[in-house]
Amino acid sequence: LYDLLTETDSSFSIQKLSEKFYVSPASIVNDLKYIEKWLNHHGLQLLRGTAGTKVEGGETQVRKAIVDFIEGNGFENTMQLQKLDSQKIERMTVESLLTFFGTQDMHFMEGVLNSLEKRCGNIIGEPYYLNLLVHLLVAVMRVKSQKYVARQEENMILQRSEERRVGKECRSR
């Protein structure tokens, strides 16, 4: 699912997926049934053709689905773990984020959020900090892949002036 969501321009053959995950093609076909339902719930479609299988849908829906997938795979129940220096993100969560996004992007985005906290004079509490961090990391990952939110989707998101101001501030950094 993660590969399908992050590589929406690519098609994956059942055979290649089978080889990658060391399972039978029948297992992949069965898994795709569950993936298709999950994607439909997120406003996305699973397209199957001779070229392979791929995800189709709007960029906003893809980004939300990536966040839901990541949050559903290890970020929810980490309260009992020992915290790192950050005091905001727990060790297991940090390791999971690093797996998906890498050190450089994660540290950069943490710096952006910490800078915003200082400039605003407010602290972003957990779980909002983690949620915002994951959404920003997904946005950076998608932009690096040259995947952009359509202008009309962007306008619907940024209608309030305060959100627009903060967005412009983040963009200029």
Side-chain angles (χ1 to χ4, degrees):
L1 178 58
Y2 183 75
D3 289 350
L4 289 166
L5 287 170
T6 58
E7 299 177 39
T8 52
D9 287 338
S10 300
S11 292
F12 296 86
S13 75
I14 291 174
Q15 185 60 40
K16 292 281 185 195
L17 292 170
S18 172
E19 292 169 5
K20 180 176 181 175
F21 295 107
Y22 305 105
V23 296
S24 71
S27 292
I28 295 296
V29 170
N30 193 43
D31 289 347
L32 287 175
K33 291 176 188 175
Y34 291 102
I35 288 172
E36 186 170 29
K37 288 178 187 174
W38 191 91
L39 290 169
N40 289 338
H41 177 73
H42 288 82
L44 299 167
Q45 291 184 325
L46 188 65
L47 300 180
R48 300 171 199 208
T50 56
T53 302
K54 68 184 275 183
V55 171
E56 185 176 79
E59 181 62 20
T60 300
Q61 286 81 14
V62 170
R63 290 181 185 198
K64 287 179 181 178
I66 292 170
V67 169
D68 285 350
F69 172 79
I70 290 169
E71 288 179 345
N73 282 283
F75 295 169
E76 292 297 325
N77 300 311
T78 56
M79 297 304 285
Q80 73 280 6
L81 297 172
Q82 177 184 3
K83 294 197 176 200
L84 291 179
D85 297 337
S86 165
Q87 297 295 320
K88 298 248 185 197
I89 305 172
E90 296 162 356
R91 184 176 53 78
M92 181 178 246
T93 302
V94 169
E95 290 169 3
S96 297
L97 286 172
L98 290 172
T99 298
F100 287 111
F101 300 108
T103 307
Q104 185 177 3
D105 287 343
M106 187 163 147
H107 288 306
F108 172 77
M109 207 48 70
E110 264 196 298
V112 168
L113 290 176
N114 292 337
S115 173
L116 282 174
E117 284 181 327
K118 287 177 186 171
R119 290 187 67 195
C120 295
N122 291 316
I123 293 174
I124 303 169
E126 183 65 35
Y128 308 107
Y129 183 92
L130 180 59
N131 190 300
L132 185 56
L133 177 65
V134 172
H135 277 275
L136 290 170
L137 287 166
V138 168
V140 167
M141 175 187 69
R142 297 297 289 173
V143 168
K144 282 183 175 181
S145 299
Q146 299 188 7
K147 301 291 182 190
Y148 305 99
V149 174
R151 181 59 85 183
Q152 68 188 122
E153 289 180 88
E154 182 180 298
N155 287 338
M156 290 182 342
I157 295 168
L158 294 177
Q159 287 179 358
R160 293 185 10 198
S161 61
E162 179 65 13
E163 292 165 339
R164 184 172 296 211
R165 185 189 65 73
V166 171
K168 283 181 179 180
E169 186 176 319
C170 287
R171 199 159 132 198
S172 68
R173 293 189 171 261

